[in-house]
Amino acid sequence: MLEAVGSSPDGESGDDGSVGDGCLRWARLRDRATGETIEYRARRGMTFGVFVFAGFIPNTTLVRDFVDLDDPGYIRVDAKQRTNVPGVYAAGDVCAKDLRQVVTAVADGAVAALDMQYLASDMQGKTCQIPPAPVPRY
C-alpha cells in the first residue's frame, strides 16, 4: 500500500515548506500482510510516476436515467464518443471499453471534441446563426 510520496531527494521539506521540484523522488510503501514499511528512492537525477487506480465502479449517476448504460453502469458510446442522445458525448473512464487509462481518456475527449465541432457546424448551417467568437478568459 502506498503511504507517502515526495519530491525532495532527502524526503524532507525545506525550511520554507517546499518539498522539492515537483517530480517524484521517493515513495513509502507498507506491506498490508506484514506491516513492513520500505522506501523506494529513484536513482540520482531520475524520477518515477504513480498510477492511481480509482476502481471498477463508474461514477455515472448523473446520467443514469438519461443515456444508455451497460450492466456495470458504463456509458455506451459509438466510435465518435456519441451516446444514444443526440449532442451528448462521453469520454474517458465512464465509457464502456476494454482499456481505461489517461491516454485513452484524452484520446476519447479529442475524438468527441472533433465530432462536436462538426455537429455545431452542421447546426450553424441549418440555422444560419453565426455565434460570436469566443472571448479569451485569461
Side-chain angles (χ1 to χ4, degrees):
M1 168 176 67
L2 183 64
E3 284 193 338
V5 295
S7 61
S8 62
D10 61 3
E12 300 296 326
S13 13
D15 292 337
D16 63 354
S18 64
V19 289
D21 60 6
C23 297
L24 293 181
R25 306 284 182 194
W26 62 269
R28 186 171 53 243
L29 306 151
R30 178 178 303 278
D31 183 318
R32 288 184 184 191
T34 66
E36 178 187 5
T37 300
I38 62 165
E39 278 197 13
Y40 169 80
R41 292 192 174 274
R43 290 185 304 205
R44 187 169 188 84
M46 302 297 289
T47 65
F48 64 95
V50 174
F51 184 84
V52 178
F53 176 65
F56 289 111
I57 301 171
N59 188 2
T60 54
T61 54
L62 179 67
V63 296
R64 181 179 298 139
D65 299 321
F66 188 62
V67 298
D68 281 344
L69 305 178
D70 65 7
D71 288 338
Y74 292 100
I75 301 170
R76 289 189 173 115
V77 295
D78 66 11
K80 302 284 188 184
Q81 301 305 124
R82 295 178 289 212
T83 67
N84 63 304
V85 178
V88 177
Y89 294 77
D93 293 356
V94 295
C95 297
K97 58 184 177 176
D98 293 331
L99 183 61
R100 291 183 182 85
Q101 292 182 348
V102 70
V103 171
T104 60
V106 170
D108 290 350
V111 168
L114 182 63
D115 200 67
M116 283 187 263
Q117 178 184 353
Y118 295 142
L119 175 65
S121 179
D122 289 346
M123 292 170 67
Q124 180 180 332
K126 291 176 184 176
T127 63
C128 297
Q129 299 293 314
I130 301 174
V135 176
R137 296 183 183 174
Y138 50 89

